[in-house]
Structures are given as structure tokens and as C-alpha cells.
Amino acid sequence: GKLIVCAYGGQINIGNNCYIGDGTWIRSGEKVTIGNNVLIANGANIIDTNSHEVDAIERAAGYEHIITKGHPKEKGSILTAPIVIHDHAWINFNAIILKGVTIGEGAIVAAGSVVTKSVEPYTIVAGNPAKVIKQIPRPVVR
């Protein structure tokens, strides 16, 4: 996978025993935290920033700045919110996790899902936008 931190800031923290698949992009303008034993399949996108301004005039000026002077070191009005993916979560291929989302422990995000809201622990979500499919059993500690 590719890890990208914006010039205006951002942070990516990845726990132990994680897998980040080919073609996955994790982009941060604020903070992305990934716990331990997390599986992120191929082609996922995890992004805690809108990357561009919402206002069309600001966005055009921002793009012009990027192509003429490089990426800005000031965030300006670009919206960001942290993402947290807790231990033992599984993000399937081509899933998208957007800013401000927390994925609970042991949760599963189905392939191709677009996650715009937080996911409870030990829950399967699927679709665009992702919706709860079912709760799954918590593992038995032996």
C-alpha cells in the first residue's frame, strides 16, 4: 500500500501484525490510527481529509497553487477528521473509509463498501453508504 501525509500535516500510526494490501492508499491530513492485527485488503482507500476546499473558487485557487508552487503547507478551509481502526478489524478490497470514522474492534467492512459513519465492534457493514448487515460473535478467550 501507499501511505501519504499531506504537506499541511497529518499522521499515520499502524499497530503490530497488520497487513495493508497492494493498491491500498492511506492518506492523512489529520490522523489515521490503525490498531493491531488489522487486515486491509487490496485497493482500499482510507482518507481523513477532503483533500480540497469545498468552495469552488477556493478549490480552483488551491489547485492552481498545487500545480505552480506545490502542495500548501497550510490546511486553510480543507475539512479533516481523524480515522481510527481498532484491533482485529478487517477492511475488504476496494472499501473506502472516509474522514471522522471509527471502525470498532473485530468489525468487518465488506468489499466495495463506502464507510461514512462509525462502525460498532464485531459488526459487518456493506454497501454504499455502508449499512449494518449483522452482528458477529466476539471471540472466546481461552
Side-chain angles (χ1 to χ4, degrees), residues 38-139:
V38 172
L39 300 179
I40 302 173
N42 299 349
N45 275 281
I46 299 168
I47 183 165
D48 71 0
T49 174
N50 279 0
S51 297
H52 300 285
E53 299 79 2
V54 172
D55 180 85
I57 302 303
E58 281 186 67
R59 188 169 54 249
Y63 176 68
E64 184 176 350
H65 185 280
I66 289 169
I67 62 173
T68 60
K69 299 177 185 165
H71 289 276
K73 300 210 186 309
E74 301 296 323
K75 182 169 84 165
S77 66
I78 296 171
L79 300 176
T80 64
I83 292 173
V84 178
I85 301 174
H86 286 281
D87 296 351
H88 302 285
W90 176 16
I91 313 301
N92 276 284
F93 66 90
N94 296 328
I96 300 170
I97 311 295
L98 296 177
K99 69 182 185 308
V101 167
T102 296
I103 306 294
E105 180 179 342
I108 298 173
V109 175
S113 297
V114 178
V115 184
T116 61
K117 295 182 181 171
S118 293
V119 177
E120 293 294 319
Y122 298 98
T123 301
I124 299 174
V125 297
N128 179 5
K131 297 198 182 323
V132 173
I133 300 301
K134 69 178 187 175
Q135 301 298 116
I136 53 179
R138 292 178 183 263

Side-chain angles (χ1 to χ4, degrees), residues 7-60:
Y8 59 78
Q11 183 178 350
I12 300 171
N13 298 315
I14 301 173
N16 296 317
N17 198 37
C18 292
Y19 174 78
I20 299 173
D22 291 337
T24 288
W25 289 54
I26 301 173
R27 299 176 187 137
S28 180
E30 189 160 321
K31 187 174 186 182
V32 175
T33 304
I34 298 171
N36 298 315
N37 302 299
V38 172
L39 300 179
I40 302 173
N42 299 349
N45 275 281
I46 299 168
I47 183 165
D48 71 0
T49 174
N50 279 0
S51 297
H52 300 285
E53 299 79 2
V54 172
D55 180 85
I57 302 303
E58 281 186 67
R59 188 169 54 249

